[in-house]
Amino acid sequence: MQPPPILTLKRYKSKVAHLVWFDLRERFEILRVAREMLSAREYDLLRSAVMFLFYTGSRAEALKNVKFEERVYKYNVEGKSIEVKAVIAVTQEKGRHGKRQWEKPIPYEIYERYIKGRLPIAEKELKWIRKTLKEIYKKVLPKDSIKYKFAVEG
């Protein structure tokens, strides 16, 4: 039996990615501002997309093609049988060597509460999410930061 994807996932290597990741405070602030700006339905859609992206590190294009697999892994630990529930996001995303399939774990509770039944989305919704997030980033990120440059100015 293969180990769950969380144990085999390779860390993405980039020269700038670590400079533009959102820390926990920024993630909460993005969601807080979104809650103030959007209707309940719009907020629900944006939150599901953002939570998926935060937890998987996927590219936005994955929001259109993601499929979820609920898996149960069984282990024998010190003579006791243990079952672990996992949700795996299966996406098609571009990588260093072209488009490929990725399997990324998502905490079961996060999937159940924020993502299940809300993704994948259509291209029209993805365009709206990108536009809306830019407006939120303008309110949340310091204008002189590298994060602002990447997120707003692209």
Side-chain angles (χ1 to χ4, degrees), residues 1-5 7-8 71-76 82-84:
M1 173 194 220
Q2 291 186 358
L7 299 178
T8 61
R71 300 180 187 168
V72 177
Y73 294 94
K74 297 179 182 185
Y75 300 97
N76 189 341
I82 297 175
E83 289 188 358
V84 177

Side-chain angles (χ1 to χ4, degrees), residues 10-11 17-18 20 29 35 42 44 51-52 54 64 72 74 76 78 99 103 118 124 129 137-138 148:
K10 291 182 180 153
R11 185 162 176 89
H18 67 284
V20 295
E29 187 65 10
R35 185 77 182 121
E42 290 171 332
D44 187 57
M51 295 294 274
F52 170 78
F54 286 163
K64 297 187 311 180
V72 177
K74 297 179 182 185
N76 189 341
E78 297 179 1
K99 207 167 209 174
E103 290 190 0
R118 295 173 177 95
K124 180 180 173 184
I129 286 170
Y137 296 153
K138 287 177 184 176
Y148 185 93

Side-chain angles (χ1 to χ4, degrees), residues 3-136:
I6 190 73
L7 299 178
T8 61
L9 198 60
K10 291 182 180 153
R11 185 162 176 89
Y12 174 70
K13 292 181 179 135
S14 167
K15 292 180 180 164
V16 295
H18 67 284
L19 300 173
V20 295
W21 287 334
F22 296 117
D23 62 33
L24 197 55
R25 185 196 58 75
E26 290 165 328
R27 291 176 184 197
F28 280 116
E29 187 65 10
I30 288 166
L31 290 171
R32 185 192 65 74
V33 170
R35 185 77 182 121
E36 292 174 359
M37 284 177 52
L38 305 172
S39 71
R41 187 181 78 44
E42 290 171 332
Y43 177 71
D44 187 57
L45 172 62
L46 186 97
R47 180 182 59 190
S48 64
V50 167
M51 295 294 274
F52 170 78
L53 297 172
F54 286 163
Y55 277 94
T56 64
S58 288
R59 296 173 180 268
E61 69 183 271
L63 292 166
K64 297 187 311 180
N65 67 50
V66 64
K67 293 179 178 117
F68 298 97
E69 296 178 8
E70 294 185 44
R71 300 180 187 168
V72 177
Y73 294 94
K74 297 179 182 185
Y75 300 97
N76 189 341
V77 179
E78 297 179 1
K80 292 182 181 178
S81 181
I82 297 175
E83 289 188 358
V84 177
K85 274 201 234 182
V87 176
I88 309 300
V90 181
T91 67
Q92 297 288 327
E93 299 175 55
K94 75 177 183 180
R96 198 173 300 174
H97 304 291
K99 207 167 209 174
R100 64 175 279 215
Q101 180 171 301
W102 295 87
E103 290 190 0
K104 301 176 180 183
I106 298 176
Y108 190 80
E109 300 76 22
I110 297 298
Y111 171 74
E112 282 288 321
R113 184 168 183 186
Y114 301 110
I115 298 171
K116 187 174 185 177
R118 295 173 177 95
L119 300 178
I121 60 173
E123 178 67 29
K124 180 180 173 184
E125 292 169 311
L126 178 58
K127 285 181 181 177
W128 176 83
I129 286 170
R130 284 182 163 144
K131 181 178 149 251
T132 303
L133 281 173
K134 276 194 178 190
E135 293 307 310
I136 293 168

